[in-house]
Amino acid sequence: MSYSALTHHFEQQHHLQHLGAICGWDQATMMPSGGNQARAEAMSALAVLSHQQLQDPKLADWFASANQASLASDQKVSLAEMHRQWRDATMLPSDLVGALSLAGSRCEHAWRSLRPANDWAGFLPLFAEVLNLSRQVAAARADVLGLSRYDSLLEQFEPGMRSATLDSVFNGVKQWLPALIKEVQDKQGSEIVLQPQGPFAIEQQRALGLDVMALLGFDFNHGRLDVSVHPFCGGVSEDVRLTTRYDEHDVAQALMGVIHETGHARYEQGLPAQWRKLPVGQARSMGVHESQSLFFEMQLARHPAFIAQLSPLLERHFGTQPAFAPDNLAKLYTRVKPGFIRVDADEVTYPAHIMLRYEIERDLIEGKLEAKDLPERWDQLMQRYLGLSTQGNYKDGCMQDIHWTDGSFGYFPSYTLGAMYAAQQASAMQQQQGSLEQLIEQQLPSIFDWLQHNIWQHASLLDTDTLIEQACGQPLNESAFKQHLQQRYLG
Amino acid sequence: MSYSALTHHFEQQHHLQHLGAICGWDQATMMPSGGNQARAEAMSALAVLSHQQLQDPKLADWFASANQASLASDQKVSLAEMHRQWRDATMLPSDLVGALSLAGSRCEHAWRSLRPANDWAGFLPLFAEVLNLSRQVAAARADVLGLSRYDSLLEQFEPGMRSATLDSVFNGVKQWLPALIKEVQDKQGSEIVLQPQGPFAIEQQRALGLDVMALLGFDFNHGRLDVSVHPFCGGVSEDVRLTTRYDEHDVAQALMGVIHETGHARYEQGLPAQWRKLPVGQARSMGVHESQSLFFEMQLARHPAFIAQLSPLLERHFGTQPAFAPDNLAKLYTRVKPGFIRVDADEVTYPAHIMLRYEIERDLIEGKLEAKDLPERWDQLMQRYLGLSTQGNYKDGCMQDIHWTDGSFGYFPSYTLGAMYAAQQASAMQQQQGSLEQLIEQQLPSIFDWLQHNIWQHASLLDTDTLIEQACGQPLNESAFKQHLQQRYLG
Ligand SMILES: [Zn+2]
Ligand SMILES: [Zn+2]
């Protein structure tokens, strides 16, 4: 009775979120700029309404009584996931939520011009206020959840993940990553790599993207591809809206971007139909989501066997040129070079960017590092992990990412968790079904079937540890990722 | 205090309607078909929520107390419009609303296959049920509003309009229309008219449409043009979403369609900014809305001086051909021929289609005509007004329109009210500012300025009678429309 009432309530929430997701997609892809003010107000009204509905005092009673009810095991999990969403939405005083939202949008807005101006002094007070309020949020969440402050934020994006686990995994990575980067660079130093010669017409890039999405099994009856400044995968499971951006001089950016987002999209399209309107039917975590996009973009799309299929597609749309030869594309798509910018980083150096951010944000939230000391710590860690100095270079250093400007502390680890989960999945898949090379060449769909069976269909019905152990035979660890990098880059 | 509370409440409603309008547009233009089920559920949840919010018992108290408050005159009008919306949403028992909605969608859905099959017998029971429930709605509304049953439905689309007024205006039209149609046909019988030779590439038709929208002052910073099966003008005032459909063999259809919808769109874009989130800031009525689209499509776009500007645009996009000569286009766009189908009718015969539907739907609702007798009455009136028989031809007769299938009785008069208001506006504009010919040739924007000043900026701040009298110097009447037709078609 109260379980059905809760289910109905959260389904109604889902319908509103559906409208918000489509309007958010529209805002990024279709809306003329003059519509922005009215849209922002409408979206904000929806967020307020959604939050109000979660605050409904009836819910506390329903949860209390549903917890006593006799429920099937999947209903119990569904109840727990509804409770988690409700708890997250109601555990904070609303004036704190409002203050962080305000400070966050102020800081983010200013960041858009302060970053290109390399203006750390202008950024610092705004950032310090976001940090201050984020620490209060962390403290309040930590009290309720019985977690450390940083873990209480991590819990928002990676339910069940703790910094103790991250420390142990990242400490492992630190043992071998710097040496590996150096070895790979030494090996690649003598390689000759041809750059594809553009321009590459945008209409043709789009056609190529659609071909690759079809190859990857994207269901065009339940989704579409469009353009936005910041690519994303949005919409709803039944209607996944994927975006990319095109650069006439660089065909790889949109191509790899589309492949990445198609990984996110297939996870969404593969979520189980009967749970789609409820929290338990949503993707498990940011890290698991990223494991799917990185499986597609890194494990699959940069595999020589897959590149052998990309090569003729490139030639079909842009004609033949030496740079499109599979061997050359394989070298091109696996170049390793330490750089300042996370979003431009290759597969090998990427984890260094994440470990640096993880250590810094953990210390910022736990009160062991102050906002003013951020640039110095950033420079130290960049030197240590990637051998680069960012002294005085704030815009390519600690001011490069949007995440901290609006208080999204605890998000960064998801990227590298995704890379590790993806490597574990690829390894398990190969043990069970044969080499990726064979699968790609002979039965590409069986790869997606494995992911559907082991990841997508479970939505949030399993916790992350169980999901990964059940799929891969092992809990989270860095060894499959290490093996993958060694084999691909030094093998 | 209670006035502000109401204002806030209706602004929140408006924000939700904004999201619904954009998602409705998306559903018709962008959404892959597999997304339809989930979207329909989300839209329906929004409608229920919106309706629930209007049912909030606080509102009755707020209205009672706001009616006692001392308010500025525009606030009083705003209050009255909020009250009208609230009254419309709350005066009916919700089981009746639900029953009509269900019967309506069942009938409409079946109609989509029964109409092409010419299956009146299959349609009749479904239609009879919709009529039965619509009569109950009319009776309930009539009780509350102190109106006749049909007038109580008319009031939904044309606040203040009564069938007594319609009778008097339509009786006037009946005096001269049949003879006029005959005269025009006699005159046009000897004309030689060239048909443009296609095909007309869709990309070029779209470019032509955008050119014409720009010529008509459409603000592309607050709107856009897309494709849908059934063209419409949607979105919100700040972001107007206009659609059309293209036929490779007929350039006029999309061209005139875009011009028509641009008339709707400029009304929306011209609504006063400070009232946009409230009922009083919305378009006055369906008839006034249609007066703007018909002003653009009929008064303006079929005027020889405007056709002289369309001709070079057609040539720019499709090359020169004899049919694009202004004289030929003018003849082509003003051909008159009685036909079965309302949506294909020309400007002269269109009112006959409307008067027929008005008389029938009024008698259906007032209980003077039964569903089973509809085809016979239809045939009688088609013979009387247009000299055509629809005996046994249901699909091109009484089954041709969607309106009655979902219970939208009372809507049809808006089309011809729009044509009359448009003619009155054109006449008044010419008396005040010089001939349309001069205005089109020398100062097209002054035409839009007149409409902005006299119609758009008033939104629902004036009742329709006051709006029209203030703009045109006269209340609704058929003489300007008659003069317009005589001058254009016989002059
Ligand atoms: Zn991603
Ligand atoms: Zn219209």
Side-chain angles (χ1 to χ4, degrees), chain B residues 260-261 264 290 293 415:
Chain B
H260 179 98
E261 301 302 338
H264 284 306
E290 203 64 12
S293 55
Y415 295 109

Side-chain angles (χ1 to χ4, degrees), chain A residues 260-261 264 289-290 293-294 411 415:
Chain A
H260 179 98
E261 301 303 337
H264 285 305
H289 228 310
E290 203 65 12
S293 54
L294 292 176
Y411 190 100
Y415 295 110

Side-chain angles (χ1 to χ4, degrees), chain A residues 102-117:
Chain A
L102 198 67
S105 41
R106 202 179 289 137
C107 181
E108 183 192 318
H109 183 79
W111 168 78
R112 294 183 187 278
S113 49
L114 294 173
R115 183 194 171 200

Side-chain angles (χ1 to χ4, degrees), chain B residues 99-160:
Chain B
L100 178 55
S101 159
L102 197 67
S105 42
R106 200 178 291 139
C107 181
E108 184 192 316
H109 182 79
W111 168 78
R112 294 183 188 278
S113 49
L114 294 172
R115 184 194 171 201
N118 200 38
D119 184 354
W120 168 252
F123 182 69
L124 178 57
L126 298 166
F127 171 62
E129 179 60 11
V130 171
L131 176 60
N132 168 36
L133 291 163
S134 297
R135 282 172 172 174
Q136 293 178 38
V137 166
R141 290 181 54 88
D143 273 359
V144 178
L145 300 173
L147 293 173
S148 78
R149 295 180 176 199
Y150 181 72
D151 284 359
S152 81
L153 297 187
L154 195 54
E155 175 76 10
Q156 298 173 292
F157 309 106
E158 297 296 327

Side-chain angles (χ1 to χ4, degrees), chain A residues 12 15-16 18-20 22-23 25-26 29-35 38-39 41-43 45-46 48-49 53 220-224 226 236 238-239 241 277, chain B residues 12 15-16 18-20 22-23 25-26 29-35 38-39 41-43 45-46 48-49 53 220-224 226 236 238-239 241 277:
Chain A
Q12 296 310 107
H15 292 316
L16 293 183
H18 174 145
L19 301 177
I22 295 300
C23 286
W25 168 86
D26 181 272
T29 56
M30 297 288 161
M31 188 188 73
S33 63
R39 181 66 56 84
E41 288 177 29
M43 296 289 276
L46 180 70
V48 170
L49 176 66
Q53 292 191 336
F220 287 96
N221 193 35
H222 291 96
R224 44 179 293 146
D226 294 277
V236 292
E238 299 88 343
D239 182 4
R241 303 296 174 95
K277 296 180 209 162
Chain B
Q12 295 310 106
H15 292 316
L16 293 183
H18 173 146
L19 302 177
I22 295 300
C23 287
W25 167 87
D26 181 271
T29 57
M30 297 289 160
M31 189 187 73
S33 63
R39 181 67 54 84
E41 288 178 28
M43 297 290 276
L46 180 71
V48 170
L49 176 66
Q53 291 191 336
F220 287 96
N221 192 35
H222 291 97
R224 47 180 289 146
D226 294 276
V236 293
E238 299 89 344
D239 184 4
R241 302 297 174 93
K277 295 179 210 161

